[in-house]
């Protein structure tokens, strides 16, 4: 069994190390499947769109009745005092309004089934062409009136630096539990941004997650780098009814605005990582983040 020590391993995607930001070309495939080994659970066009843009939307993957059951479970969790005092429950920066609930795949009941639904698992297995596990799951409630946004970021930049995820062989699935509209803080993505990695400046502070899950300031792109990605692909806001799923690559630049509409924009996010890409030591000077943010002890191969 080889051991990876900090000295021995190569950091293919250094970030938060240099004095100035830079843009590094992606060194990993986007779609790992060659398309021959197993029947694809996606159409050829969807796989091609995912490879080209870094995300693809599958409408109506879940029936309204299933989403209704997930929504009831979310509503129950959102007001359960025992749940709200757990570390997995993250409130909005300026209020006690619930912002996110992490590790819902471990909490049990209906939402566990959502995170490990075969319709999601087999898509991730195909695109990553490996056995997979859940690196992270979270419910982003983005409640009406006061739901705060998430500034532009690449999830991989954080998962690489703070969780020690070696390569870009992971993806997120955002399941819309409420309608995602143009005015309730829906996810914004920059097409083609997944092929360029922004190496950010700034050092990772201790216990950074206690702030970054409310408002991320470290590991976010500088204006010039973000503008470069924008000029290469623009911005897309995949709106759609509850039940649709946005699948996006770990390095696709994304963010979302505040939700001041009366309508909640609640999404369930499940992050699938390849078993061959399990997290190691962080690529920063901080200790690993807690288990509810990045699976280590609870890594369980799916499917
Ligand atoms: O730090 C993380 O892992 C989380 N932060 C953001 C803004 N997106 C990915 C993930 O939820
Ligand atoms: Fe994110």
């Amino acid at each position: 069994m080889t051991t990876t020590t900090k000295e021995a391993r190569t950091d293919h995607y250094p970030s938060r190390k240099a004095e100035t930001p830079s843009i590094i070309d992606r060194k990993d495939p986007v779609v790992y499947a060659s398309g021959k080994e197993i029947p694809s659970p996606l159409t050829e066009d969807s796989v091609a769109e995912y490879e080209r843009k870094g995300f693809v939307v599958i409408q109506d993957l879940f029936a309204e009745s299933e989403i209704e059951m997930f929504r009831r479970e979310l509503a129950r969790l959102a007001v359960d005092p025992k749940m709200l005092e757990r570390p997995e429950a993250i409130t909005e920066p300026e209020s006690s309004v619930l912002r996110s609930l992490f590790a819902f795949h471990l909490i049990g009941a209906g939402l566990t089934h959502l995170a490990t639904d075969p319709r999601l698992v087999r898509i991730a297995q195909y695109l990553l062409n490996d056995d997979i596990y859940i690196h992270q799951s979270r419910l982003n409630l983005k409640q009406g009136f006061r739901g705060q946004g998430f500034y532009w970021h690449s999830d991989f930049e954080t998962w690489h630096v703070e969780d020690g995820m070696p390569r870009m062989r992971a993806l997120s699935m955002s399941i819309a539990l409420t309608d995602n509209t143009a005015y309730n803080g829906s996810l914004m993505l920059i097409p083609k941004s997944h092929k360029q990695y922004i190496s950010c400046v700034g050092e990772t502070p201790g216990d950074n997650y206690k702030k970054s899950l409310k408002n991320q300031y470290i590991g976010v792109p500088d204006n010039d780098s973000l503008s470069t990605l924008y000029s290469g692909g623009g911005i897309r806001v995949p709106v759609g009814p509850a039940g649709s799923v946005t699948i996006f690559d770990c390095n696709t630049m994304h963010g979302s605005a505040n939700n001041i509409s009366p309508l909640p924009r609640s999404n369930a996010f499940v992050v699938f990582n390849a078993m061959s890409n399990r997290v190691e030591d962080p690529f920063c000077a901080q200790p690993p983040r807690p288990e509810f943010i990045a699976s280590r002890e609870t890594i369980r191969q799916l499917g």
Side-chain angles (χ1 to χ4, degrees), residues 75-270:
R76 184 182 69 75
L77 293 173
V79 296
D80 176 351
K82 286 193 302 308
M83 195 53 66
L84 297 176
E85 61 199 22
R86 290 171 63 147
E88 294 92 336
I90 309 293
T91 54
E92 294 291 356
E94 280 97 39
S95 76
S96 59
V97 169
L98 187 62
R99 175 177 171 85
S100 303
L101 189 62
F102 276 78
F104 72 78
H105 68 287
L106 296 176
I107 285 176
L111 285 162
T112 302
H113 301 309
L114 170 58
T116 55
D117 188 293
R119 288 166 286 186
L120 303 179
V121 169
R122 64 175 185 224
I123 290 174
Q125 285 170 329
Y126 180 79
L127 292 172
L128 302 177
N129 196 21
D130 197 346
D131 288 318
I132 57 171
Y133 72 94
I134 293 176
H135 165 67
Q136 179 186 104
S137 71
R138 66 195 183 276
L139 298 166
N140 280 353
L141 287 86
K142 204 180 275 200
Q143 305 201 37
F145 306 107
R146 293 269 180 265
Q148 298 299 294
F150 294 77
Y151 190 70
W152 293 108
H153 63 280
S154 151
D155 291 337
F156 179 76
E157 194 278 346
T158 294
W159 298 338
H160 177 70
V161 173
E162 298 190 54
D163 298 333
M165 185 183 282
R167 305 304 292 256
M168 294 180 183
R169 193 167 187 170
L171 56 83
S172 291
M173 295 195 186
S174 169
I175 300 102
L177 300 182
T178 60
D179 293 350
N180 279 225
T181 70
Y183 46 76
N184 66 340
S186 292
L187 194 62
M188 302 188 285
L189 302 115
I190 298 186
K192 300 189 265 186
S193 60
H194 61 311
K195 298 212 173 161
Q196 293 185 294
Y197 176 74
I198 295 180
S199 179
C200 303
V201 299
E203 209 162 299
T204 309
D207 282 347
N208 185 41
Y209 70 93
K210 291 184 177 163
K211 290 185 288 301
S212 69
L213 298 182
K214 288 174 180 279
N215 244 330
Q216 187 177 353
Y217 293 104
I218 298 287
V220 293
D222 60 289
N223 294 352
D224 289 347
S225 301
L226 187 78
S227 303
T228 301
L229 295 187
Y230 172 75
S231 57
I235 292 177
R236 293 292 176 280
V237 182
V239 294
S244 49
V245 179
T246 300
I247 306 165
F248 58 106
D249 176 78
C250 57
N251 187 46
T252 302
M253 188 60 66
H254 64 285
S256 60
N258 294 350
N259 178 16
I260 57 172
S261 83
L263 307 176
R265 189 238 59 192
S266 301
N267 289 8
F269 288 81
V270 187

Side-chain angles (χ1 to χ4, degrees), residues 3 13 16 27 45 48 68 86 172 188 233 236 276 281:
T3 54
Y13 295 104
R16 308 184 203 181
K27 300 174 179 167
D45 287 352
E68 207 27 61
R86 290 171 63 147
S172 291
M188 302 188 285
R236 293 292 176 280
S276 58
D281 289 338

